């Protein structure tokens, strides 16, 4: 499990000749006091779905990523993925279990650094895009 101040892992595993994102734990929320813990708890527990807010401007000040799993009802296989929670300064949170969002967070941190170094929240929006093979995925656009 990653330290709360570590950058998200960009490790990739190869399985069946395809890249597979490795779920990881990451939180940009600093502090161990009650207020920091409340922020994390409320954001993760009360987050709204990213898909309900596509194209809307969002002030991003913190990010939480957690490994999680769900049952694929088609195959019957339990699959692991990364749940990403985007948090605004007022505590509003959006969440998605999307490789596209997880990858966007990796790119965002590579380009802008850790959220604690931004100086001010980033204005972003989540968009839906299509891959070369016509699959849709979510991505974060910085405004």
């Amino acid at each position: 499990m990653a330290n709360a101040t570590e950058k998200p892992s960009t490790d990739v595993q190869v399985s069946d000749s395809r890249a597979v994102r490795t779920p990881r734990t990451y939180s940009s929320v600093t502090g161990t006091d009650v207020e920091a813990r409340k922020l994390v708890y409320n954001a993760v527990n009360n987050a709204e779905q990213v898909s309900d807010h596509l194209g809307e401007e969002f002030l991003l000040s913190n990010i939480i990523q957690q490994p999680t799993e769900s049952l694929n009802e088609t195959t019957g296989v339990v699959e692991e993925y990364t749940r990403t929670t985007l948090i605004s300064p007022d505590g509003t949170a959006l969440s998605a279990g999307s490789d596209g969002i997880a990858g966007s967070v990796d790119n965002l941190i590579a380009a802008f650094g850790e959220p604690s170094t931004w100086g001010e929240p980033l204005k972003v929006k989540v968009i839906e895009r299509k891959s070369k093979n016509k699959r849709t995925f979510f991505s974060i656009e910085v405004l």
Side-chain angles (χ1 to χ4, degrees):
M1 183 152 92
N3 182 314
T5 60
E6 288 181 6
K7 182 177 161 192
S9 168
T10 56
D11 294 344
V12 175
Q13 296 176 346
V14 177
S15 172
D16 300 328
S17 301
R18 294 177 298 171
V20 178
R21 180 169 300 285
T22 304
R24 74 281 210 193
T25 298
Y26 167 78
S27 177
S28 67
V29 177
T30 57
T32 58
D33 62 353
V34 171
E35 290 307 310
R37 292 175 188 206
K38 283 182 189 177
L39 174 65
V40 170
Y41 178 84
N42 287 327
V44 170
N45 269 350
N46 302 320
E48 297 178 32
Q49 292 297 311
V50 160
S51 58
D52 293 337
H53 297 278
L54 293 177
E56 296 176 11
E57 288 186 6
F58 185 83
L59 287 177
L60 178 63
S61 60
N62 279 293
I63 302 161
I64 297 172
Q65 291 185 310
Q66 304 167 281
T68 191
E69 54 187 37
S70 68
L71 177 65
N72 181 321
E73 294 182 17
T74 304
T75 64
V77 174
V78 174
E79 298 174 340
E80 292 185 347
Y81 62 95
T82 300
R83 170 143 315 273
T84 302
T85 303
L86 309 173
I87 307 170
S88 73
D90 69 2
T92 301
L94 304 178
S95 183
S98 161
D99 283 346
I101 295 291
S104 287
V105 165
D106 292 344
N107 293 336
L108 192 102
I109 290 173
F112 292 93
E114 295 288 325
S116 63
T117 67
W118 295 347
E120 62 184 42
L122 289 179
K123 189 184 298 184
V124 301
K125 69 178 174 180
V126 176
I127 58 173
E128 189 173 59
R129 301 182 69 190
K130 287 195 185 275
S131 67
K132 291 178 186 176
N133 59 356
K134 308 292 185 221
R135 293 183 57 165
T136 60
F137 64 95
F138 296 140
S139 183
I140 298 172
E141 184 177 298
V142 178
L143 304 175

